[in-house]
Amino acid sequence: RKALPKTSPRIVVGAAFIGAFTAADVAASNLSFVYISVSFFVMLKSASLVFILAVGTLTCIERCTVRILFAVVVISGGIFIASYGEADFNPLGFALVLMSEVFAALRWVVTQMVLHGGKLDSMQAVFYMAPASATTLVPFVATLELHKIDALNDVNTFARYLLMVLFPGFLSFILLLVEVQLVKE
């Protein structure tokens, strides 16, 4: 069994922030579905690169050129037009999606800072992110789902739930691994 290489506290703290931002993104996104439709969510979530550019520019990781700014304005305008006519507009759902996008932007900016400044590979980065992500999600789960946990006392229900969660969880893990690898390159 191979031990993890020694890493600087900067990388460990950065990975913890990445994990926390990932969890906050997931929690806000999932909670928004209580208030808004999936189609409205998808329209709003498509603005994530606007937030990534804004946070990247503020942290001096990305340069904001006129060409990029034009693309962002076109995207923002399109999203505004698309969301303006939403029949079931809910301000709380809208705010949750925007918060999710801010968390996602912070996650990718910090990911870029950590991976380009350190000697972590993608798997190690995900390994360091996971505990912070899980720890950040625990209060959300305890607050919103604790009253439903007793349903898992039945073995059949627990087995169905486990199967329902394992496959999407595995796919999410692979997706995160690929995303981290793309940011690293």
Side-chain angles (χ1 to χ4, degrees):
R1 188 165 136 163
K2 186 178 171 186
L4 285 173
K6 298 250 183 209
T7 57
S8 71
R10 176 189 163 278
I11 290 175
V12 173
V13 169
F17 273 108
I18 295 165
F21 289 141
T22 301
D25 175 18
V26 168
S29 291
N30 288 348
L31 192 55
S32 73
F33 287 121
V34 173
Y35 304 101
I36 62 173
S37 66
V38 173
S39 59
F40 189 46
F41 172 84
V42 170
M43 285 187 285
L44 292 174
K45 202 65 174 164
S46 66
S48 61
L49 57 97
V50 171
F51 289 90
I52 292 170
L53 177 64
V55 173
T57 301
L58 289 173
T59 57
C60 299
I61 287 181
E62 291 290 329
R63 240 181 37 150
C64 186
T65 64
V66 174
R67 185 175 177 189
I68 292 174
L69 189 60
F70 178 74
V72 167
V73 168
V74 168
I75 291 168
S76 299
I79 290 168
F80 174 76
I81 291 168
S83 63
Y84 184 74
E86 176 67 17
D88 295 325
F89 181 82
N90 182 297
L92 181 55
F94 182 78
L96 284 167
V97 175
L98 292 184
M99 285 173 31
S100 161
E101 293 193 29
V102 169
F103 292 134
L106 290 169
R107 170 181 64 168
W108 291 121
V109 166
V110 175
T111 300
Q112 189 169 355
M113 292 165 69
V114 168
L115 291 180
H116 287 266
K119 293 181 171 50
L120 286 180
D121 65 24
S122 299
M123 185 61 88
Q124 290 169 333
V126 171
F127 177 79
Y128 284 121
M129 289 179 224
S133 188
T135 305
T136 304
L137 280 175
V138 166
F140 292 107
V141 171
T143 303
L144 301 171
E145 304 290 335
L146 195 58
H147 66 283
K148 297 177 185 176
I149 290 181
D150 64 342
L152 298 178
N153 290 337
D154 177 49
V155 175
N156 290 333
T157 304
F158 180 76
R160 278 196 331 263
Y161 179 76
L162 190 61
L163 288 174
M164 228 172 32
V165 169
L166 282 178
F167 185 65
F170 174 74
L171 291 178
S172 296
F173 170 76
I174 297 298
L175 178 63
L176 180 61
L177 197 59
V178 169
E179 288 174 345
V180 169
Q181 183 62 35
L182 288 172
V183 170
K184 184 168 178 64
E185 292 175 5

